[in-house]
Amino acid sequence: MTAMPPQQPEPNDAERDAGTHRADSRPAESDASAKAAQDVSRLRRVLITGATGEIGGALARAYAETGTTLILTGRKQRKLDAIASDCRKLGAEVECTVLNLCDEETLFTWLDEVCARGVPDIAIANAGMNTDIGPQGNGERWEDSRRLLQTNVIGTLGMAHHLAMAMKQRGSGQLVLLSSLAAWHGLALTPSYSGSKAAVKAYGEGLRSWLKPHGVGVTVVMPGYVTSPMCEAMPGPKPFEMPPEKAARRILKGAARNRARISFPFPLNFGCWWLSVLPAGISQRLLGWFNYTH
């Protein structure tokens, strides 16, 4: 795994105003002004897609605190409202939107509205879905694969591109793209999912190199099995499965350091990495031995 030193975001207009504020001669007002400036300096905007998923919800709660505005989107209104309620109790301001990321026009309109209120300091592209070849190994339905690619690839890359432009213009920000350890080598059980996450990985790596000189960080997250309904529905063994709260803590910590890649858990990541560097025939034979081919 590689790591890059953290990039310090440039102050926004509100932070500059706070930093240049001059207190007057009255101590009480001076103290109040200093406190207000300190409060403004802690303000940040965090956008999370797929907030109704297990990782997305855990991330929202992990980032929730006083001085943070969470911009959450998902497909399930009731669950989104419940997560928003939890985050408000932790002190965060919350904006919620039920959104279909497959609708590009709606997605870009929403992102423009979000940026008009303030470009996010951190944006996490977490929304995703999975499909598989079925219990009898009959193969994926193309309708399912197409919907998966629209969500995992077009929705994720479209959002990242839109926000990358806004962050580049401002000169600061952090993009976090959720890939998967399945991106190291395609799995026969989930070929469309593996392909979509490989696309996110490659795009994020390229985006990072392009945006680095402009003060914008990009982190690619490659988790293994995280407890969730989607994970439960996936076929095949699920070694080293971890709870979403633990995964969220790792993502938050790595993103704060502007890590180029956050991949976990280590044993599974190490094994999957070897699948990517060994000759493909050997890797596929190994996957067969571990029951990842049927």
Side-chain angles (χ1 to χ4, degrees), residues 27-198:
E29 291 186 12
S30 177
D31 292 343
S33 298
K35 183 178 185 302
Q38 185 180 22
D39 289 342
V40 169
S41 71
R42 289 200 300 265
L43 294 177
R44 62 176 177 173
R45 290 170 62 78
V46 180
L47 184 152
I48 303 173
T49 66
T52 52
E54 297 305 312
I55 294 179
L59 280 168
R61 296 182 185 96
Y63 275 104
E65 63 180 4
T66 302
T68 294
T69 296
L70 293 173
I71 305 155
L72 308 179
T73 182
R75 292 193 178 192
K76 303 172 184 175
Q77 183 71 66
R78 185 173 297 180
K79 190 166 184 180
L80 196 60
D81 290 341
I83 293 167
S85 177
D86 291 343
C87 293
R88 290 187 181 109
K89 290 175 184 176
L90 293 169
E93 297 289 330
V94 185
E95 302 173 9
C96 291
T97 303
V98 174
L99 192 69
N100 179 6
L101 297 182
C102 295
D103 185 338
E104 289 184 49
E105 184 177 353
T106 301
L107 171 63
F108 294 155
T109 298
W110 173 69
L111 288 173
D112 286 338
E113 292 171 352
V114 167
C115 290
R117 296 190 294 273
V119 177
D121 301 293
I122 304 167
I124 304 175
N126 171 71
M129 60 172 291
N130 194 11
T131 185
D132 59 73
I133 60 174
Q136 306 303 319
N138 294 326
E140 300 171 308
R141 295 192 321 134
W142 176 241
E143 293 80 2
D144 295 335
S145 294
R146 182 173 55 193
R147 188 160 60 94
L148 179 148
L149 293 171
Q150 284 286 342
T151 301
N152 294 11
V153 180
I154 301 301
T156 297
L157 272 57
M159 182 192 114
H161 176 270
H162 214 73
L163 291 177
M165 294 298 186
M167 290 179 176
K168 176 177 177 287
Q169 184 176 13
R170 184 182 61 185
S172 66
Q174 184 77 25
L175 289 169
V176 181
L177 309 184
L178 267 289
S179 179
S180 166
L181 291 183
W184 284 126
H185 187 93
L187 301 178
L189 296 173
T190 54
S192 294
Y193 179 80
S194 300
S196 72
K197 293 305 184 179

Side-chain angles (χ1 to χ4, degrees), residues 250-265:
R250 293 198 178 193
I251 294 169
L252 188 151
K253 184 177 179 181
R257 296 177 176 177
N258 188 27
R259 294 272 298 276
R261 183 183 298 146
I262 305 169
S263 47
F264 57 87

